[in-house]
């Protein structure tokens, strides 16, 4: 018909034939951006292999960790002992797989403690408009000013024996180290969460929720906290690596787990007197700590970039 026009299909690739917009969920977009971070993806693969090795490795290498063989002491890597042996002839690979579970569990559990405490304190301070904010920030600054290593040593000396008597040797030391490390690592998370809350609580969507009658708790949990979770996740990954290093430091000083529980830090402590005759004894647990911490840090960098909408990836 003359004068009539034909509507052409939309050239926008985000619009289908039916005119419906194809939306991408925030989770899928974050995963797409994370996959493009090569270092983060490589680190995620390395960390996954390390976790897989310590979890399922003992099924494929069922060597008892406390078997003593003086005829094989301080041997280098071989087919019989891929990571060599220690001064008692014990297989280092089997002991590393057992101890890796504890070292990684300490890092993850301490991260949960530090993140939980930090989020609670930071969110409370960020939502407060009265006295709670300065008081909580004063407490945070106080903990930041404390010398952490001497305080760690003091708490361990005071409470180690009592917790051992209640939860057993391994359980008592695990709980003590997790609580102490997590209890002294929550301050950066608290300051980060507070800064996010101070910024987000003035946004339009929070004002709209307040106008609709949302309580302060609902504003915090349903509107502000989900928008502040990105930096918290990044900070949590850093806390995992810091906790692993702290546990290794305590074990290296002989104040962590007892000698019959071979965490990576304890293996380094036992190997320090044999560096000239058996360097493999320190090389493999040191490399495991190094790769784990480096991988977690690169994963944190990838998450920071993937969760930042202002960064083009």
């Amino acid at each position: 018909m003359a004068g009539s026009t034909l509507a052409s299909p939309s050239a926008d690739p985000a619009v289908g034939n039916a005119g419906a917009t194809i939306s991408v969920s925030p989770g899928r977009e974050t995963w797409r951006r994370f996959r493009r971070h090569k270092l983060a993806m490589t680190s995620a693969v390395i960390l996954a292999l390390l976790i897989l090795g310590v979890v399922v490795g003992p099924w494929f290498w069922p060597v008892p960790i406390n078997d003593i063989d003086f005829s094989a002491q301080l041997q280098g890597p071989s087919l019989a002992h891929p990571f060599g042996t220690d001064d008692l002839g014990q297989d280092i690979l089997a002991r590393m797989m057992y101890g890796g579970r504890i070292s990684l569990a300490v890092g993850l559990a301490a991260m949960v403690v530090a993140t939980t405490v930090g989020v609670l304190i930071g969110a409370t301070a960020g939502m407060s408009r009265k006295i709670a904010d300065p008081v909580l920030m004063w407490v945070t600054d106080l903990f930041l000013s404390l010398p952490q290593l001497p305080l760690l040593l003091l708490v361990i000396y005071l409470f180690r024996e009592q917790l051992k008597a209640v939860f057993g040797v391994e359980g008592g030391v695990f709980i003590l180290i997790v609580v102490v490390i997590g209890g002294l690592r929550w301050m950066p998370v608290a300051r980060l969460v507070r800064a996010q809350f101070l910024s987000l609580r003035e946004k339009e969507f929070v004002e709209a929720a307040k106008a609709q009658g949302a309580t302060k708790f609902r504003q915090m949990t349903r509107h502000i906290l989900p928008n502040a979770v990105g930096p918290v996740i990044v900070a949590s990954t850093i806390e995992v690596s810091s906790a692993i290093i702290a546990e290794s430091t305590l074990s290296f000083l002989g104040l962590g787990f007892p000698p019959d529980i071979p965490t990576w830090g304890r293996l380094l402590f036992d190997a320090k007197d044999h560096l000239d005759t058996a360097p493999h004894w320190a090389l493999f647990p040191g490399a495991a700590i190094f790769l784990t911490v480096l991988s977690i840090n690169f994963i944190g960098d990838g998450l920071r970039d993937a969760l930042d909408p202002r960064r083009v990836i």
Side-chain angles (χ1 to χ4, degrees):
M1 180 181 297
S4 63
T5 59
L6 295 176
S8 61
S10 173
D12 188 353
V15 180
N17 293 331
T21 302
I22 302 174
S23 61
V24 179
S25 66
R28 292 184 61 182
E29 176 62 18
T30 300
W31 171 240
R32 182 193 68 81
R33 293 163 63 88
F34 183 79
R35 283 184 305 172
R36 293 192 176 185
H37 198 292
K38 302 302 182 184
L39 275 177
M41 283 299 298
T42 303
S43 300
V45 172
I46 293 174
L47 184 61
L49 291 175
L50 285 170
I51 294 175
L52 189 66
V54 301
V55 172
V56 306
W59 296 348
F60 299 96
W61 192 256
V63 178
I65 64 171
N66 291 321
D67 274 4
I68 297 176
D69 183 7
F70 288 112
S71 63
Q73 61 183 150
L74 297 179
Q75 288 186 357
S78 63
L79 291 178
H81 304 285
F83 285 4
T85 60
D86 59 14
D87 58 340
L88 297 177
Q90 298 171 321
D91 187 78
I92 294 177
L93 175 59
R95 292 172 68 81
M96 276 191 60
M97 288 188 293
Y98 181 88
R101 298 178 180 180
I102 300 175
S103 295
L104 292 174
V106 167
L108 292 173
M111 177 270 293
V112 171
V113 172
T115 303
T116 302
V117 175
V119 168
L120 289 175
I121 292 180
T124 304
M127 290 298 293
S128 173
R129 298 178 185 272
K130 296 181 180 179
I131 194 172
D133 181 26
V135 169
L136 291 175
M137 287 302 100
W138 179 83
V139 173
T140 302
D141 293 336
L142 175 64
F143 272 84
L144 281 172
S145 65
L146 294 175
Q148 293 198 3
L149 186 57
L151 189 59
L152 278 170
L153 303 182
L154 176 62
V155 174
I156 288 174
Y157 273 124
L158 290 176
F159 299 103
R160 181 167 54 180
E161 297 305 323
Q162 292 89 329
L163 287 174
K164 282 182 180 180
V166 176
F167 299 100
V169 175
E170 188 170 345
V173 175
F174 179 84
I175 292 174
L176 178 61
I177 290 179
V178 166
V179 171
V180 169
I181 294 176
L184 293 177
R185 295 294 307 174
W186 56 268
M187 295 80 73
V189 178
R191 294 174 70 92
L192 178 63
V193 172
R194 174 182 176 270
Q196 292 289 314
F197 268 63
L198 289 177
S199 173
L200 291 171
R201 74 182 188 183
E202 307 297 337
K203 298 296 183 181
E204 290 80 2
F205 64 91
V206 178
E207 294 294 335
K210 188 188 304 184
Q212 293 178 352
T215 62
K216 184 170 290 190
F217 180 77
R218 184 176 178 84
Q219 296 172 36
M220 180 174 64
T221 57
R222 294 294 299 273
H223 300 282
I224 301 179
L225 186 58
N227 288 281
V229 74
V232 174
I233 293 175
V234 176
S236 298
T237 60
I238 298 174
E239 294 305 322
V240 175
S241 59
S242 299
I244 292 175
I245 293 176
E247 185 277 323
S248 301
T249 302
L250 290 174
S251 297
F252 185 79
L253 294 174
L255 297 171
F257 289 88
D260 57 336
I261 302 176
T263 66
W264 290 343
R266 186 74 208 191
L267 288 173
L268 284 176
F269 173 77
D270 294 337
K272 73 181 188 305
D273 296 328
H274 303 273
L275 293 177
D276 52 345
T277 58
H280 64 275
W281 191 359
L283 177 63
F284 290 110
I289 295 172
F290 172 76
L291 287 176
T292 302
V293 172
L294 189 66
S295 299
I296 291 174
N297 286 336
F298 279 134
I299 290 172
D301 288 341
L303 287 173
R304 180 195 61 200
D305 295 342
L307 293 168
D308 187 358
R310 297 167 296 181
R311 191 178 182 89
V312 178
I313 299 181

